[in-house]
Amino acid sequence: MNNFGIDLWSNNNFFIEDGLLKINHKNKPSLISLVKEIRKQNYKGPLLFRFPHLIEKQITRLYNTYNAAIKENNYHGKFNAVFPLKVNQFPTFVHPLIEAGEKFNYGLEAGSKAELIIAMTYNKKAPITVNGFKDKEMIHLGFIAKKMGHNITLIIEGLNELETIVEVSKETNLPCPSIGLRVRLFNGGSGAWAKSGGIDSKFGLSSTEILEAYDVLEKNNLFDCLTMIHFHIGSSMNNIKPLKNALKESGHIYAELKNLGATNLNSINIGGGLGVEYSQYKRTINYSLQEFASDVVFTLKNIARQKNVEEPNIFTESGRFISASSAVLIAPVLELFSAEYEAEHLRLKEVNPPLIVELNELYKDMKKRNALEYMHDSIDHLESLLKLFDLGYIDLKDRSNAEILTNLIIKKAISFLEVNAYEELKRIDNKIQEKYLLNFSIFQSLPDLWGINQEFPIMPITHLDKNPTRSASIWDITCDSDGEIEFNPNKPLYLHDVDLDKEEYFIGFFQVGAYQDVLGMKHNLFSHPTEVNVTFDENEVKLEQIIESQKIIDILDDIDYDTNEIKSILNSQLDDDIYEILEKYLNDNSYLKTTWS
Ligand code: PLP
């Protein structure tokens, strides 16, 4: 049975039982039961479920694994982690994250002034690190955070930032935050986002600049503030080798600076990059969390021993690893585009052309053992019938019957046979793919899929006790031909042949908790899906903080239309009773409501 690669990507967060996709936590509810519950409350369109228990699970795994590696290696540094807010800044995500991380002293990383304000407001006693390019105002904010009592480290990306820190320190007399140096390593990363590391990276100081930074700190009596070396070689690394090289390089820079006299330097921040499995077809990450953590601890221990310096504290800024699994998008299927090929559309006559009669028999008599043969025959018959149509020997009804019957025969053959075992079947499968129209926007909910061809696991949340037989492409409801996930014969997606007049069918998109929310765009003015936080009491599931997809009038307001003007122009041209109806539409969200009763 096709299980949509759940063993590869789901990390046991979900499982299939009785044909339903279920959440592997507490009372193990099915996703469809949650969808139904929400839809009962009249929220239609796409839904984004957030699962705080999965955020907690990942934070716990991260700390437990590193702490186990530290223990095993008798390492003397401490493990610390911060969450990079750029990966998900939404309050419905950040509040549960802070709550789940409190017992570990899990902190936040900010890369802009707005993110720093979030960290300064909601972080409790945990560390804050600040990356990215900074102006004087952002550095000043860092000093204010320090004054508030935060354990904050400003990680400088260039010497000018250090000079600004000196300036702010002199001008404000505020206590100076800890300072980190982002080093530009020779060793770059691996994986789709590898360009944040390496000698040509946009970020970080070269060796010469590190030595200059050291002089600037010394000259300005800020030497004691230098506590951290930082690097980030790229997001979602699929190969561990570049990390090992980067660790050696940064470990030696740390040790050299220690031996030069950087007494308070005590930490190496290895950035993010811990891989997430996005593929449902084959494993793409070549290491486990245990291996990753052991390599970090072991390499840093060796360098510290070799250069006779104290073992550094370890900081990580993993983002995807913590957040990706925590959100799932569910989109209702609105239409199957080849529904015209259903048997009910046949218009068989009392007397049909012999080839049509034969097609009908092939369809009825097909068994597993003759499926391939009958399918070949049907394709030959269709070709002949199309020629007969061109020559004027059969009519439009016959042609329609021929197309429907051949389509039905191919579908039936595919249901009997293992598609991948036959090259030819794969080719045909590709041609007769079904187009599933889903009530969502790829631009809004899966921007990385559109922008950088990022893969996300996709599967239906019901019907999982039946093998899916339709090679599927997915269309969203935007008026843009890029709003499509094409069928890819190398990574084929099969979905079920459903009759939407009789049953509903929902498709889940997984691992969407990292970056997708904030990168999502309002193409065609579709805003975020309706969001729900799914929490668990002992044996009861709770749907909390439901945030409905934005109303049309609010979307227009967001892009700076004068909504009073819109209302008054419309009102002035319509009778009151019609305007009243129109006003209801303005207060609806943009997604389709075809399924509304
Ligand atoms: N830290 C820094 C400096 C980054 O630039 C990034 C992402 O690019 C991260 C952490 C998070 O990386 P990931 O989400 O791969 O863990």
Side-chain angles (χ1 to χ4, degrees):
M1 191 68 68
N2 183 339
N3 73 355
F4 297 88
I6 194 169
D7 305 334
L8 281 176
W9 56 265
S10 106
N11 194 23
N12 280 330
N13 295 335
F14 301 96
F15 66 103
I16 297 170
E17 190 178 72
D18 302 331
L20 304 178
L21 190 63
K22 296 190 171 174
I23 302 161
N24 194 12
H25 192 60
K26 296 274 168 80
N27 60 333
K28 304 189 190 321
S30 63
L31 279 167
I32 189 68
S33 66
L34 307 186
V35 170
K36 282 189 175 153
E37 188 55 43
I38 295 286
R39 287 167 74 84
K40 242 199 280 170
Q41 298 174 41
N42 249 342
Y43 298 109
K44 300 283 154 80
L47 294 171
L48 186 80
F49 286 127
R50 294 190 199 281
F51 296 105
H53 75 277
L54 293 179
I55 307 175
E56 187 174 1
K57 174 179 171 182
Q58 293 302 88
I59 297 174
T60 309
R61 277 180 73 200
L62 186 71
Y63 276 87
N64 287 353
T65 312
Y66 266 99
N67 285 333
I70 282 177
K71 200 164 163 209
E72 198 177 312
N73 287 283
N74 192 22
Y75 189 78
H76 294 104
K78 200 171 163 295
F79 176 70
N80 305 270
V82 290
F83 179 77
L85 281 167
K86 66 162 126 342
V87 182
N88 196 329
Q89 305 91 338
F90 281 63
T92 40
F93 170 83
V94 170
H95 291 311
L97 172 104
I98 291 176
E99 202 184 316
E102 214 175 329
K103 62 175 176 286
F104 297 106
N105 210 28
Y106 184 45
L108 295 170
E109 181 260 0
S112 66
K113 282 180 258 190
E115 289 177 2
L116 183 51
I117 294 289
I118 297 175
M120 287 165 69
T121 312
Y122 293 109
N123 180 61
K124 295 190 177 134
K125 296 207 172 63
I128 297 176
T129 60
V130 185
N131 291 317
F133 296 115
K134 303 166 204 64
D135 59 7
K136 195 165 175 184
E137 288 71 19
M138 186 153 168
I139 286 173
H140 191 196
L141 277 177
F143 275 70
I144 296 173
K146 175 75 183 174
K147 173 83 182 154
M148 287 168 70
H150 286 296
N151 167 7
I152 179 167
T153 307
L154 296 180
I155 296 170
I156 66 157
E157 306 279 356
L159 283 174
N160 60 329
E161 287 182 6
L162 191 55
E163 276 145 23
T164 314
I165 290 180
V166 172
E167 242 175 83
V168 174
S169 170
K170 285 187 181 148
E171 286 171 20
T172 63
N173 262 333
L174 288 167
C176 189
S178 299
I179 295 173
L181 303 179
R182 177 154 179 176
V183 295
R184 191 184 307 165
L185 299 179
F186 184 72
N187 290 291
S190 69
W193 294 272
K195 62 177 185 270
S196 355
I199 199 78
D200 56 348
S201 153
K202 179 172 150 192
F203 302 106
L205 304 173
S206 65
S207 325
T208 316
E209 287 170 322
I210 292 171
L211 291 171
E212 278 178 52
Y214 188 83
D215 292 343
V216 174
L217 286 167
E218 201 167 31
K219 203 167 91 206
N220 290 284
N221 281 337
L222 289 174
F223 198 56
D224 290 349
C225 297
L226 176 63
T227 59
M228 183 182 282
I229 291 294
H230 175 256
F231 70 87
H232 169 74
I233 59 173
S235 197
S236 206
M237 283 179 258
N238 45 24
N239 182 352
I240 200 162
K241 189 147 189 287
L243 173 80
K244 292 190 192 178
N245 294 338
L247 278 167
K248 283 183 204 146
E249 208 178 331
S250 61
H252 281 291
I253 292 172
Y254 162 84
E256 291 284 322
L257 287 175
K258 286 289 295 179
N259 284 336
L260 270 180
T263 36
N264 284 354
L265 180 62
N266 58 25
S267 303
I268 293 193
N269 180 339
I270 66 167
L274 194 47
V276 165
E277 192 51 85
Y278 285 99
S279 172
Q280 60 189 134
Y281 299 98
K282 66 170 196 307
R283 202 165 287 290
T284 60
I285 311 285
N286 84 343
Y287 57 85
S288 66
L289 174 59
Q290 279 82 351
E291 183 184 350
F292 194 97
S294 291
D295 277 350
V296 174
V297 173
F298 184 77
T299 312
L300 295 181
K301 187 172 178 77
N302 269 347
I303 294 170
R305 189 187 300 135
Q306 189 188 345
K307 293 241 157 124
N308 199 21
V309 292
E310 82 197 55
E311 291 164 359
N313 296 323
I314 297 162
F315 274 73
T316 73
E317 295 177 341
S318 286
R320 287 177 195 278
F321 175 84
I322 297 295
S323 59
S325 61
S326 70
V328 175
L329 176 78
I330 310 275
V333 177
L334 293 172
E335 208 174 321
L336 270 63
F337 276 101
S338 72
E340 73 267 29
Y341 291 131
E342 295 303 332
E344 68 200 44
H345 294 127
L346 280 170
R347 294 163 193 263
L348 292 173
K349 305 169 184 166
E350 273 189 19
V351 182
N352 295 289
L355 283 177
I356 297 277
V357 176
E358 228 175 282
L359 276 179
N360 207 9
E361 278 162 10
L362 290 174
Y363 178 50
K364 287 201 185 114
D365 298 343
M366 183 186 283
K367 304 271 177 313
K368 190 175 168 117
R369 66 184 153 73
N370 58 25
L372 201 59
E373 181 194 338
Y374 280 21
M375 188 187 78
H376 286 149
D377 292 349
S378 74
I379 294 169
D380 285 348
H381 289 358
L382 178 66
E383 279 169 11
S384 307
L385 283 158
L386 290 176
K387 272 194 201 114
L388 289 174
F389 180 75
D390 289 349
L391 294 169
Y393 290 120
I394 62 168
D395 64 17
L396 194 56
K397 274 191 191 161
D398 297 325
R399 179 180 162 151
S400 159
N401 290 335
E403 286 173 5
I404 294 173
L405 283 166
T406 311
N407 221 281
L408 290 172
I409 289 169
I410 295 173
K411 275 203 268 177
K412 198 166 176 183
I414 288 172
S415 73
F416 281 132
L417 300 167
E418 176 56 45
V419 174
N420 283 332
Y422 302 89
E423 269 313 307
E424 176 198 15
L425 215 53
K426 272 209 276 191
R427 246 190 349 265
I428 293 174
D429 202 26
N430 190 6
K431 279 204 191 118
I432 64 147
Q433 61 187 262
E434 179 61 273
K435 294 170 182 62
Y436 289 74
L437 177 69
L438 268 61
N439 201 358
F440 83 130
S441 154
I442 287 176
F443 303 90
Q444 170 59 232
S445 292
L446 303 171
D448 276 347
L449 191 148
W450 167 72
I452 53 170
N453 266 332
Q454 163 74 40
E455 224 176 305
F456 291 96
I458 304 174
M459 69 181 288
I461 59 170
T462 57
H463 293 67
L464 297 167
D465 47 358
K466 298 175 207 95
N467 243 339
T469 52
R470 302 310 320 265
S471 42
S473 61
I474 287 180
W475 287 9
D476 74 5
I477 54 168
T478 63
C479 306
D480 193 317
S481 50
D482 276 352
E484 180 187 0
I485 306 173
E486 286 176 21
F487 180 73
N488 176 353
N490 300 318
K491 295 175 179 174
L493 175 68
Y494 291 96
L495 295 176
H496 297 91
D497 203 3
V498 285
D499 180 350
L500 293 171
D501 289 335
K502 298 197 182 106
E503 54 183 343
E504 292 185 308
Y505 192 54
F506 295 91
I507 307 296
F509 298 84
F510 296 80
Q511 313 282 53
V512 300
Y515 293 105
Q516 303 316 292
D517 293 275
V518 81
L519 292 180
M521 58 208 110
K522 293 183 181 163
H523 190 17
N524 264 162
L525 301 186
F526 290 110
S527 79
H528 63 83
T530 295
E531 298 180 19
V532 190
N533 273 30
V534 182
T535 59
F536 291 82
D537 249 358
E538 240 352 274
N539 247 337
E540 195 191 334
V541 60
K542 291 209 226 149
L543 302 176
E544 291 181 333
Q545 301 183 43
I546 303 180
I547 304 173
E548 189 177 1
S549 179
Q550 250 184 326
K551 294 173 181 168
I552 291 171
I553 196 75
D554 292 340
I555 298 174
L556 297 177
D557 187 44
D558 260 11
I559 57 168
D560 291 336
Y561 276 97
D562 178 341
T563 51
N564 287 328
E565 184 179 84
I566 289 181
K567 287 181 190 171
S568 100
I569 291 174
L570 293 171
N571 199 356
S572 68
Q573 295 172 46
L574 291 167
D575 293 341
D576 281 354
D577 53 340
I578 300 185
Y579 179 72
E580 218 176 280
I581 298 172
L582 188 137
E583 206 168 18
K584 276 196 195 132
Y585 284 126
L586 292 177
N587 286 302
D588 255 347
N589 70 54
S590 295
Y591 290 100
L592 301 188
K593 296 204 158 166
T594 326
T595 50
W596 252 24
S597 48

